[in-house]
Amino acid sequence: MIKVVVLGAGNVAHHLITAFQKASDINVSQVWARDNGSFEHLLRSEFICNDLSQLQNADVYILAISDDAIISLSAQLPFSDKLVVHTSGSVAMEALNDKNRKGVFYPLQTFSKSKTVDFRAVPICLEAINDTDYKTLEKVAKAISKVTYTINSDQRRALHLSAVFVSNFVNHLYQIGQEICEANQLDFTILQPLILETADKILTLSPKEAQTGPAKRQDTKTINAHLNFLTDKNQKEIYKLLTKSIIDNGKKL
């Protein structure tokens, strides 16, 4: 049984705790959060604390906190020579304080508290200073996921950037699409089959092979009609930028 302490109260912390509770060989011995009420629906009060001095002994301490808080919180931990890891995609392992052994436990997924995630399918990217600590992290990861990767800090930064493009930016485009639909008395759900098919295609085709649309065809008549239709300046600029990028990409063929 591997004892884990989770520090943080955000989306990642909630999903990790939920996944760990389903794993037979992981014991979430304690959770730290500034607001004890954050986890009352997941854990009994005796397993929750808001005082770092009350942290119990564990095999791994997981900092599931905001990127900006990693350096500060890791320095405040009241112990040394323990395995302390963070869950950030963009922060280097070296940002963790030197008094403890360092590692990274990065689940590559978008998390919302209100949306259940099948953690067995979530890729977990691992990094550690030494082999022993890496093996510990690997055991923890494999207890909740079928997919693990050894990825260093530079690779993880590139991966996180890629994730922003394919997830965060794409979701923002969904929002724009919804706004256009609603402004024209259309139900956004009519686009859901198209969204699902577009995502499904890249399971068998490369994104470049799957690209379709007026920019891909260099259909200037349709492109200009779309631009004339758009009244929102921000939406128009995004349309122009993405159209140019798709057209320029086609020129490289």
Side-chain angles (χ1 to χ4, degrees), residues 18-43:
T18 301
F20 287 147
Q21 288 177 326
K22 297 175 183 177
S24 59
D25 45 358
I26 301 294
N27 174 24
V28 181
S29 59
Q30 195 177 37
V31 172
W32 173 90
R34 290 186 174 87
D35 177 11
N36 282 16
S38 302
F39 292 105
E40 288 181 346
H41 63 296
L42 292 177
L43 297 158

Side-chain angles (χ1 to χ4, degrees), residues 28-31 36 43-49 54 56:
V28 181
S29 59
Q30 195 177 37
V31 172
N36 282 16
L43 297 158
R44 297 199 305 270
S45 59
E46 60 264 35
F47 295 103
I48 309 170
C49 79
Q54 295 177 0
Q56 299 176 4

